[in-house]
Amino acid sequence: MQITTVSDFRKDIKTYLDRVVKNVETLIINRGKDSGIVIMSLQEYNSLMATNHELSSRKNERRLDSAIDKLNSGSTFNKELIED
């Protein structure tokens, strides 16, 4: 995570945005007293939204927890894909 001010961001916007995308990290632009902006790559945003969707209902959350438990306990199996 990077933190900068509005004036520093304005001076070197391209470098800041390139760094956010290249390093898949967030940038916080401090705007003063308890105010700020968060900038993240589209890849990071899409990942965050997908996670939010997966955890949006209790049923999805339980399914995900069950899958993680199976993976961690080694009770998974491989299956060959059918190719046309």
Side-chain angles (χ1 to χ4, degrees):
M1 174 182 357
Q2 299 178 70
I3 300 173
T4 191
T5 63
V6 173
S7 56
D8 285 343
F9 179 69
R10 267 192 225 136
K11 289 177 195 170
D12 208 5
I13 188 170
K14 183 182 181 326
T15 301
Y16 279 109
L17 295 179
D18 287 346
R19 239 185 275 157
V20 165
V21 172
K22 181 181 176 190
N23 300 330
V24 190
E25 61 183 18
T26 55
L27 170 65
I28 297 175
I29 302 172
N30 189 348
R31 299 187 72 201
K33 186 176 168 99
D34 299 328
S35 178
I37 304 292
V38 175
I39 296 177
M40 66 178 68
S41 70
L42 181 59
Q43 176 186 354
E44 187 69 17
Y45 174 80
N46 286 338
S47 175
L48 188 61
M49 290 298 105
T51 300
N52 188 45
H53 173 71
E54 289 297 324
L55 300 176
S56 64
S57 75
R58 186 68 188 135
K59 184 177 178 181
N60 281 351
E61 190 175 345
R62 281 194 302 269
R63 260 194 244 156
L64 185 57
D65 287 343
S66 173
I68 291 170
D69 290 342
K70 286 178 184 176
L71 185 62
N72 289 337
S73 70
S75 57
T76 60
F77 60 92
N78 291 329
K79 191 165 184 170
E80 295 295 319
L81 294 176
I82 300 171
E83 295 186 29
D84 292 331

